[in-house]
Amino acid sequence: EYDGTDYEIYFWDGTSTTQVTDNSIHDDNHWINDNGYIVWSEYDGNDYEIFLWNGSTTTQVTDNSLNDIEPQIGDNGSLLWLDEPDHEIYLWDGNTTTQLTNNSFNEYNPRINDNGDMSWSGYDGIEYEIFHWDGNTTTQVTDNSNDEYNFQINNNSDIAWSAWDGTDNEIYFWDGTTTTQVTNNSLDDWYFQINNNGDVVWSENDGNDYALNLWDGTTTIQLADNSVSGNDFQINDSSYVVWSEHDGTDYEINLWDGSTTTQLTSNSS
């Protein structure tokens, strides 16, 4: 929030608001975990450094001559970030900083789950592939001639992604061992979400509108066959899916509870 001079970070715990930062510089790229810990990137006058607030105390995690950006923190307290200009990935476990990548290529879109497992998109010399780190070992998840950078990781370290197959974008799923191609059609499957059960919901574009589909690990169910807002949908860990769909007049909210679809709104606004 802008305080009249620069942007500061604030925290609301359900009852009261705490101003976490109070300085004369911008505090950017903040991230919060389920324990209320907040990390952010802050300019120190020379470059960007990473800071952590644990609910009472602020700790400066990095202090170097690099730009440290895009911090994320898992529920186990593990913290990751990228540096600039080389775009390498670092991990801080609360005590020690470990450099997870060290190469001449750029890494992008690092993601951490609540257990501290990580995935990112990295260049292998030909194109961008997906990599996964389980706390000990780095695994290259994909190895093909297509760029993979649109991905998500859940708390079981399942990874879903959308990638070009030479004709259009398809959805893929990795369970830690095996990769499954979820879609195989002539439609564009780009927007998706994965829940912690490994269920994947996505919209597919036929050139005119979007349909909405759900894959439960075995079977694909079509939840809506047209007029869905392309990326306006969510799935929770109970596999309930909510989305916005045009009813001929405006967009309304629909809910699928695992067996039945209910239209939650019916209005003209």
Side-chain angles (χ1 to χ4, degrees), residues 146-174:
N146 301 315
D147 284 325
E148 280 92 17
Y149 52 84
N150 179 26
F151 68 90
Q152 295 179 13
I153 180 173
N154 68 13
N155 287 336
N156 292 317
S157 292
D158 300 326
I159 300 174
W161 68 92
S162 177
W164 186 257
D165 68 352
T167 304
D168 62 341
N169 288 299
E170 305 292 351
I171 303 295
Y172 299 82
F173 173 83
W174 183 72

Side-chain angles (χ1 to χ4, degrees), residues 37-61:
Y37 287 22
I38 301 173
V39 295
W40 67 94
S41 183
E42 179 180 305
Y43 192 70
D44 67 358
N46 296 301
D47 55 20
Y48 281 90
E49 305 294 349
I50 304 298
F51 293 79
L52 165 69
W53 183 74
N54 66 4
S56 58
T57 304
T58 296
T59 300
Q60 183 171 343
V61 177

Side-chain angles (χ1 to χ4, degrees), residues 1-43:
E1 180 179 321
Y2 193 70
D3 66 355
T5 304
D6 63 337
Y7 285 93
E8 304 293 349
I9 294 174
Y10 297 80
F11 172 77
W12 186 70
D13 63 4
T15 304
S16 58
T17 298
T18 300
Q19 184 172 343
V20 177
T21 62
D22 187 8
N23 52 49
S24 58
I25 52 182
H26 288 314
D27 305 296
D28 300 318
N29 300 319
H30 54 277
W31 186 282
I32 186 170
N33 69 9
D34 290 337
N35 301 314
Y37 287 22
I38 301 173
V39 295
W40 67 94
S41 183
E42 179 180 305
Y43 192 70

Side-chain angles (χ1 to χ4, degrees), residues 237-248:
D237 288 343
S238 297
S239 297
Y240 287 19
V241 182
V242 63
W243 69 92
S244 178
E245 183 174 347
H246 204 272
D247 65 357

